[in-house]
Amino acid sequence: MFSKNIIFKNFLQKKNINVKKKINNILKKELIISNKLLSSFNRNYKYNYKKETLNKYKNFTTINLIGMGGSILGTEAICDFLKFKIKKKINFYNNLDSKINLKNKKNTLNLIVSKSGNTLETISNFNIILNSQKKNKNIVITEKKSSFLTKLANKLKADIIEHKNYIGGRYSVLSEVGMLPAELLGLNERKFKRLNYLIKNKHFLNQLIYNVNFIYNCVSKGRKNSVILNYDESSKNLFKWYQQLTAESLGKDNKGIFPIISSMPRDNHSLLQLYLDGPKNNFFTFFGTINEKSNQLSNKNLFGKFSILKNKNLNQIIKAQRQATQRVFKRKKIPFRSFEILSRNEETVGELFTFFVLETILLGRLMKVNPFDQPSVELIKTETTKSLI
Ligand code: PA5
């Protein structure tokens, strides 16, 4: 258990006090070195926007969010995980599609997020959306420097909110990047901020440290695929966020962890055979929820062997499948950890963001790669520009 919201069961392993000391020291140092970068994970973080700015936009019922990678994935994760709390409509433009599905309604606000202000996909999408609208309001979140986007925002008289230059895209979910849209959607930004609370929680720290150590050992022995067995439809985007965090932070210098997301129980019927009997190059994360409302099966048409489904709801069936799969993994000695979500709220997703960010940074340090850069992403950006000239 991290807090009352999540039950975490770590990989089965022998505890080693020397390992604990070593990783704990790295963590202590990191919390100092990355103090600024991680500042948005704490409640005393100062945003570059005022509540009055948000009030100006509170009557907009639809938001078009335009961005790429770390500029949008965090908000998508939040909106997916907490969709039952969100009353407004949000459209995500997170890829280049040869035909944009334009959903322009009255009262639409465009929110454009790009740290660099020069991302081709974001600029192309914004251009087409802008051209399709008669009247619109725009908020641009970008670094305080001259860029295409700051020039365009000035031309459009858009509100410009600073994206702090020391917070990298994939670490920005709890900064202006994810919290401004969250607030516009009626969520409570303060509740997402759990770093201070969690790092004072001994149990959380122990779990984090042993978890990092286990993954590091897996990777060192060639188990380099992190397979997420996700039993919660509303967490799909959380794991897309995790996928980017892991891949971009650790995939360099011929090292890395390959994050794979499996939709369960669907993938029992496609990938599970490979997971169970294929090459031993994976470690697994089970992710599911309990206690949530779900459709009840009708007893009327259940008989014979399927009488076992009488008085059951879909969540009970999903849980049974998750537990059964875990038992098989245990029997076959396949390494796995598990997360069980007890309540779905801002704190829960804030804790998950914090856990995975700390895990990634610590793994980066142990693997001796810089978890904060993405040199090859930049490479593609430069090469694409050359192709378009
Ligand atoms: O995490 C990252 O740094 C990247 O995924 C960026 O967020 C992505 O490339 C988009 O860049 P920008 O925010 O500059 O538009």
Side-chain angles (χ1 to χ4, degrees):
M1 180 91 87
F2 290 174
S3 66
K4 60 185 185 330
N5 301 318
I6 304 168
I7 297 177
F8 175 64
K9 292 211 178 103
N10 220 328
F11 298 101
L12 284 180
Q13 62 194 300
K14 283 196 190 112
K15 306 273 184 277
N16 176 335
I17 204 77
N18 289 334
V19 162
K20 189 179 156 189
K21 269 192 199 143
K22 181 183 163 192
I23 302 178
N24 204 4
N25 285 339
I26 301 177
L27 177 64
K28 270 193 200 142
K29 256 197 229 153
E30 199 58 51
L31 290 171
I32 299 168
I33 304 170
S34 301
N35 177 33
K36 266 175 102 180
L37 180 121
L38 292 172
S39 56
S40 65
F41 285 74
N42 282 325
R43 283 200 173 165
N44 53 7
Y45 178 75
K46 295 261 174 302
Y47 294 98
N48 281 319
Y49 60 86
K50 297 206 168 72
K51 300 279 169 197
E52 298 86 77
T53 315
L54 295 186
N55 286 342
K56 277 201 299 190
Y57 297 104
K58 70 170 188 279
N59 292 332
F60 284 87
T61 48
T62 305
I63 298 174
N64 285 333
L65 182 53
I66 307 155
M68 296 303 296
S71 285
I72 194 164
L73 284 163
T75 306
E76 291 192 85
I78 291 172
C79 291
D80 198 10
F81 196 82
L82 299 176
K83 54 171 95 70
F84 72 102
K85 284 191 166 208
I86 298 172
K87 303 286 172 279
K88 293 187 182 178
K89 173 102 185 95
I90 179 156
N91 303 314
F92 293 100
Y93 296 91
N94 56 9
N95 197 0
L96 271 193
D97 193 335
S98 55
K99 211 165 175 334
I100 293 192
N101 183 7
L102 294 162
K103 298 166 190 157
N104 287 322
K105 292 224 173 87
K106 266 190 195 166
N107 260 339
T108 295
L109 171 69
N110 297 324
L111 177 54
I112 306 92
V113 187
S114 172
K115 182 172 190 293
S116 62
N118 286 318
T119 298
L120 186 82
E121 295 91 333
T122 305
I123 287 164
S124 307
N125 279 334
F126 184 34
N127 175 289
I128 290 174
I129 289 167
L130 208 53
N131 200 38
S132 71
Q133 297 169 330
K134 287 200 184 83
K135 263 181 160 185
N136 54 63
K137 284 277 179 217
N138 306 294
I139 304 179
V140 172
I141 304 181
T142 192
E143 268 185 272
K144 208 173 183 178
K145 63 169 193 193
S146 172
S147 68
F148 176 84
L149 210 54
T150 46
K151 286 182 195 145
L152 180 62
N154 283 325
K155 187 172 163 226
L156 298 169
K157 297 193 172 44
D159 264 318
I160 304 181
I161 311 291
E162 184 189 351
H163 185 317
K164 304 217 173 92
N165 64 1
Y166 51 84
I167 302 183
R170 58 191 177 274
Y171 296 96
S172 68
V173 57
L174 300 188
S175 74
E176 289 73 4
V177 169
M179 294 296 97
L180 184 140
E183 287 207 73
L184 286 173
L185 295 169
L187 301 172
N188 186 338
E189 59 78 25
R190 280 179 66 75
K191 292 190 175 169
F192 288 92
K193 314 291 180 127
R194 303 291 280 164
L195 181 65
N196 265 347
Y197 164 79
L198 290 171
I199 58 168
K200 284 186 202 134
N201 178 333
K202 271 202 177 143
H203 180 68
F204 172 83
L205 286 182
N206 276 340
Q207 294 293 1
L208 173 71
I209 287 168
Y210 282 116
N211 166 80
V212 166
N213 177 53
F214 191 90
I215 297 179
Y216 178 64
N217 283 337
C218 279
V219 175
S220 312
K221 289 178 190 144
R223 283 190 190 266
K224 294 183 185 176
N225 300 333
S226 166
V227 183
I228 308 288
L229 300 176
N230 180 29
Y231 289 79
D232 177 39
E233 279 292 300
S234 301
S235 294
K236 273 188 178 165
N237 286 329
L238 173 68
F239 289 109
K240 285 198 185 147
W241 170 88
Y242 163 83
Q243 195 170 45
Q244 187 221 9
L245 177 73
T246 306
E248 268 191 10
S249 303
L250 305 175
K252 48 201 75 160
D253 305 338
N254 296 319
K255 299 174 191 164
I257 292 178
F258 198 137
I260 298 162
I261 310 165
S262 236
S263 235
M264 298 297 274
R266 187 194 65 190
D267 288 357
N268 277 345
H269 306 275
S270 64
L271 294 165
L272 197 85
Q273 172 62 38
L274 174 74
Y275 294 157
L276 290 177
D277 294 347
K280 303 281 172 268
N281 51 1
N282 309 316
F283 61 93
F284 293 83
T285 302
F286 284 78
F287 192 91
T289 60
I290 47 175
N291 298 338
E292 291 206 318
K293 276 197 191 141
S294 94
N295 296 84
Q296 184 80 23
L297 270 71
S298 147
N299 287 349
K300 215 163 69 191
N301 291 315
L302 293 171
F303 44 83
K305 178 176 157 198
F306 286 98
S307 297
I308 50 166
L309 294 181
K310 280 187 177 167
N311 303 318
K312 300 277 186 325
N313 64 38
L314 287 178
N315 268 344
Q316 287 170 303
I317 301 170
I318 295 170
K319 187 176 168 192
Q321 288 196 296
R322 183 157 50 88
Q323 289 174 337
T325 313
Q326 286 185 5
R327 283 199 296 276
V328 175
F329 271 58
K330 215 170 178 176
R331 272 209 298 277
K332 288 192 174 262
K333 297 197 170 38
I334 299 172
F336 70 91
R337 59 181 173 175
S338 78
F339 292 83
E340 243 180 348
I341 303 306
L342 300 177
S343 35
R344 194 185 286 281
N345 51 37
E346 286 94 328
E347 283 100 339
T348 309
V349 68
E351 286 180 17
L352 293 165
F353 284 139
T354 310
F355 179 81
F356 288 125
V357 158
L358 292 176
E359 169 183 295
T360 305
I361 298 175
L362 289 174
L363 281 169
R365 296 307 183 202
L366 288 169
M367 290 162 71
K368 300 204 173 6
V369 295
N370 176 0
F372 303 119
D373 67 357
Q374 56 283 332
S376 294
V377 177
E378 305 306 325
L379 207 62
I380 303 292
K381 288 184 184 176
T382 330
E383 283 301 315
T384 310
T385 310
K386 285 187 201 160
S387 305
L388 284 166
I389 294 172

